[in-house]
Amino acid sequence: MSDAEARPTNFIRQIIDKDLADGKHTSIVTRFPPEPNGYLHIGHAKSICLNFGVAQDYQGECNLRFDDTNPEKENVEYVESIKRDVQWLGFDWAGEVRYSSNYFDKLYGYAVELIEKGLAYVEELTPDEIREYRGTLTEPGKHSPYRERSVEENLALFEKMRAGEFEEGKACLRAKIDMASPFMVMRDPVLYRVRFIHHHQTGDKWCIYPMYDFTHCISDALEGITHSLCTLEFQDNRRLYDWVLENITIDCTPRQYEFSRLNLEYTVMSKRKLNQLVEEQLVNGWDDPRMLTISGLRRRGYTPASIREFCQRIGVTKQDNTIEMSSLESCVRDDLNENAPRAMAVLDPIKLVIENKADGVEWLEAPNHPNQPEMGTRQVPFSREIWIEREDFRESANKKYKRLVLDKEVRLRNAYVVKAERCDKDEDGNITTIYCSYDPDTLGKDPGDGRKVKGVIHWVSADEALPAEFRLYDRLFTVPNPASADNFAETINPESLQVQQGFVEPSMQNVPAEKGYQFERTGYFCADSKDSCSDALVFNRTVGLRDTWAKIEGNVPS
Ligand code: ATP
Ligand code: MG
C-alpha cells in the first residue's frame, strides 16, 4: 500500500486522485505560503501537514514560499523562525526557499501586459474614494473617472509609479473587471500600490508593491503548482485568481481549493492578536509555552509527531468548526505515554525520615519505562531522608485515599514499603516532617504475612535530589472564544502560569531541553530550552497524566 492509500482520505486527496487518474497531472506540486509577519501557530501546522503531507504521499513536491508583499509588517526574524518550525515539524521544501519578491520583475511585466490589453488602469482616486465607489453587497459600484484612460497614458503613469513620482495613496494600479460584480473582489481590485518602504529581500529596489491576489496566482503558476490549497476566506478570491491567470500569457494553470481553518478553543490564532500578546508583554515572547505557536508548543514539550498526529485526527474539510483543546492534549499525551522515559520529581515537597534506616545511600535500579524494557534502567538513590509530595500524606483518611496515612503502609515507587509512625507540626498546625519505618524485605516484592499494600507514592532522596523549578501551565484564556471578546486581552487567565519549587532525581541533571519525561504520578515535563541549566533546573509541564481539566470546578462555563 502506498503512503497516499495508507492515510485517511479527504476531499483534497480525492481531487488529486481524480486529476492523476484522468491524466490531468502526472505529478503533484503544492506550496506552503506564509507571510513572514509573525511566528507560525498550530493553525499553520494544519496547512503545513496538508501541503507537505500531500506532496510526500504522492511523491510530489512542496515549495516553501514567503508571501512577502507587505514589507512594513515583515522581517527576517520571522522568515528564519518559519523555516525552523517547518523543519522541526519534520518537513522539507523542494529546492531553495522561495519568495514572492523573487518574482517582482515578472509581476511588473504581467501588470504591463494587462495594461496593454486594456485590462488595467492607473487610479488616482484617494483610498477613501475608492472605497466609496466600490459600492456594497446590495449596490453596484461606480466607475472611476480614471477608468477609461488610454493604454499609452496608463503605461506612462504606471512607469511613473514605479519611478517614485507618486506619493503613497496618490495612485494605484487596478484591474478593469466589473464594478457590478456580485463578488466584491472583482470590482476593479487594486493590483499595485505605492509604498516607500525598505523590503527585507529586495531592499530599496521597489516603491510599488503588488497585492496578494495578483501575486499569489502568478507565483503559483511560475512555480508550476498544481493544487493551490488555502483557507475558506479566499473562496471569493478564486474568481480573481482565475481571471488574472486567464488574462496573462503564462502556460500553467494551477487550481485553488479551499479548506476550513483550524480554530481551537481557549486560544487566539490570528498573528495580529498573537503579536499583540507579545508586544504588550502579556506573554513572554512568541515561544512562551502557553502560546499555541509552533515554537511555544515545542518549548512546552510537544513533539513534532504529536502535532502531525493532531492534524491527521482533525482532518481536512470545508466545514468551519472549533476543536477542543483536549484533542490536542491527548495527542501529546498518547505520544509521551509511549515514548517518554519515566523519572521521579516532587513538586510540593515535605520531608519524610525513615528512622530504622542507616545513614548512607543505597542505589536502587528503576525501569525507565514500565512496559518498554528496551528503554533500560537507571540508578535511583535511596536514603534515610526523602522528599514526598505534601498531598500524599494525611494523618487520617478513609479507604479511598491510597497514599500514606499514619499507622498505615504505602509503597515508595521503585523502592520499599514504609509505614508512617508520627509527624511534626509547626505552630500553625502545618505538618513539617513525617517519621516512618521501612520494611527492608519489600524491595521488588510484596511484604510477607498477607499484608496488602495498595498505594504507591513517588519520592526523591533528600541529599541527592536536585532542586528544580516547575512551571505549570493552564489555558491562556478564561473563555472558549477569546477572539470574540470586545478586548480579548482582558480574558487572559491570570493563573495560566504557576511556579513551584521542588526536587528531581539526580539523573535529570543534564537532560536535553525539550525532551519529554513522565514524572511519575505527576505529569509530562521537559527541561525549558531558555531558562534551564544543570545548576538551575527548570521544567515545563507539557500536559497532565489524564484529562482532568473539565472536571476542575469553574473551568467549564455553565
Ligand atoms: P493569520 O490570520 O493567523 O495571520 P494568515 O492566513 O494571515 O494567518 P499566512 O502566513 O498568510 O497567515 O498563512 C499561511 C498559510 O497558512 C495560508 O495558506 C493560510 O491559509 C494557512 N493558515 C493560516 N491560519 C490557518 C488556520 N488557522 N488553519 C489552517 N490553515 C491556516
Ligand atoms: Mg495572510
Side-chain angles (χ1 to χ4, degrees), residues 427-483:
E427 292 157 9
D428 300 326
N430 300 311
I431 296 167
T432 52
T433 310
I434 305 156
Y435 297 90
C436 285
S437 59
Y438 87 122
D439 181 343
D441 198 29
T442 52
L443 186 63
K445 58 180 182 185
D446 285 332
D449 54 45
R451 278 143 61 211
K452 277 221 161 30
V453 179
K454 285 218 179 110
V456 179
I457 63 173
H458 60 277
W459 55 277
V460 292
S461 167
D463 276 344
E464 283 77 21
L466 306 169
E469 173 172 315
F470 300 94
R471 297 182 180 167
L472 310 180
Y473 302 104
D474 195 354
R475 321 224 143 157
L476 185 52
F477 295 96
T478 52
V479 295
N481 185 5

Side-chain angles (χ1 to χ4, degrees), residues 33-35 37 44 67 212 233-234 271:
E35 183 180 356
N37 62 349
H44 292 113
D67 166 26
Y212 170 86
E233 69 273 21
F234 291 99
K271 279 183 280 182

Side-chain angles (χ1 to χ4, degrees), residues 176-245:
K176 196 172 178 178
I177 308 180
D178 178 5
M179 288 305 289
S181 171
F183 299 100
M184 298 299 278
V185 294
M186 299 300 272
R187 295 190 184 174
D188 290 12
V190 175
L191 303 181
Y192 264 92
R193 62 205 171 124
V194 177
R195 281 281 182 282
F196 291 93
I197 292 182
H198 185 84
H199 189 288
H200 52 100
Q201 302 298 321
T202 57
D204 295 313
K205 179 172 176 193
W206 295 91
C207 65
I208 54 172
Y209 289 99
M211 302 298 287
Y212 170 86
D213 284 313
F214 183 62
T215 310
H216 203 81
C217 52
I218 296 177
S219 305
D220 281 349
L222 291 171
E223 292 178 10
I225 303 299
T226 54
H227 299 79
S228 179
L229 313 176
C230 65
T231 36
L232 281 174
E233 69 273 21
F234 291 99
Q235 213 155 7
D236 287 354
N237 303 56
R238 180 169 11 102
R239 268 87 194 168
L240 182 51
Y241 186 104
D242 292 342
W243 183 91
V244 171
L245 294 182

Side-chain angles (χ1 to χ4, degrees), residues 32-35 41 43-44 47 231 259 261-262 269-271:
F32 172 63
E35 183 180 356
H41 52 61
H44 292 113
S47 176
T231 36
F259 61 95
R261 297 176 81 82
L262 167 64
M269 210 76 98
S270 103
K271 279 183 280 182

